Amino acid sequence: NTAKQGWQKRKSDVFKKSKLDPQENDKINAAIAAVKKSDRKVAGKEMTLPRGVTVRPSGKWQAQLYYAGKSRYIGVFESREDACYAYEVARQILVSCKEPKDGEVDVNINLARKAAFAGVRK
């Protein structure tokens, strides 16, 4: 029972408990479909690294983007491709959101994070 195992269990419990309503699920699926449709790989060349994707000292890749005046953390991923894909899905969600009103920024960011991880898992 190490601390890391405890965190992994809590993290999986959080993802199990966070049920998506049908409207959120539709937005996520639309964003994933849009990113898949506009796949940036051209003639076998690697996708250019988006501005918000960086490598961490651990060798894992982090995705973050700028939204509503601040840098917003999306998550850490095992591979460069996963981080790039998650960035694009999260960006697609946030682009589809209208100008955020008070209190909507956090809701939009959380939806973008859920979409990013859902996109990587599909």
Side-chain angles (χ1 to χ4, degrees):
N1 290 351
T2 66
K4 186 175 182 179
Q5 288 171 332
W7 163 243
Q8 292 296 331
K9 181 174 177 7
R10 287 191 306 274
K11 187 168 87 170
S12 68
D13 290 346
V14 167
F15 280 116
K16 286 178 190 172
K17 289 177 186 173
S18 62
K19 299 289 182 194
L20 296 175
D21 67 25
Q23 187 178 10
E24 285 181 336
N25 205 19
D26 290 343
K27 283 184 180 180
I28 289 171
N29 289 333
I32 292 169
V35 170
K36 284 183 179 179
K37 184 178 178 184
S38 69
D39 192 6
R40 289 189 176 185
K41 291 183 181 176
V42 178
K45 293 184 179 178
E46 286 281 325
M47 178 196 314
T48 59
L49 196 63
R51 183 179 209 151
V53 175
T54 56
V55 66
R56 297 182 54 100
S58 65
K60 294 185 179 184
W61 292 82
Q62 177 176 311
Q64 62 187 26
L65 47 77
Y66 196 75
Y67 179 71
K70 292 184 181 178
S71 180
R72 308 295 177 153
Y73 173 82
I74 301 301
V76 175
F77 303 89
E78 293 294 325
S79 70
R80 174 183 182 215
E81 292 77 19
D82 286 351
C84 290
Y85 191 77
Y87 174 90
E88 291 297 331
V89 170
R91 188 185 64 75
Q92 187 68 34
I93 287 284
L94 295 175
V95 164
S96 71
C97 294
K98 303 287 187 244
E99 189 71 25
K101 298 175 189 163
D102 292 337
E104 287 183 351
V105 172
D106 289 335
V107 171
N108 293 345
I109 292 296
N110 286 333
L111 180 60
R113 286 183 187 129
K114 289 175 187 177
F117 281 97
V120 168
R121 289 187 188 122
K122 283 191 176 187

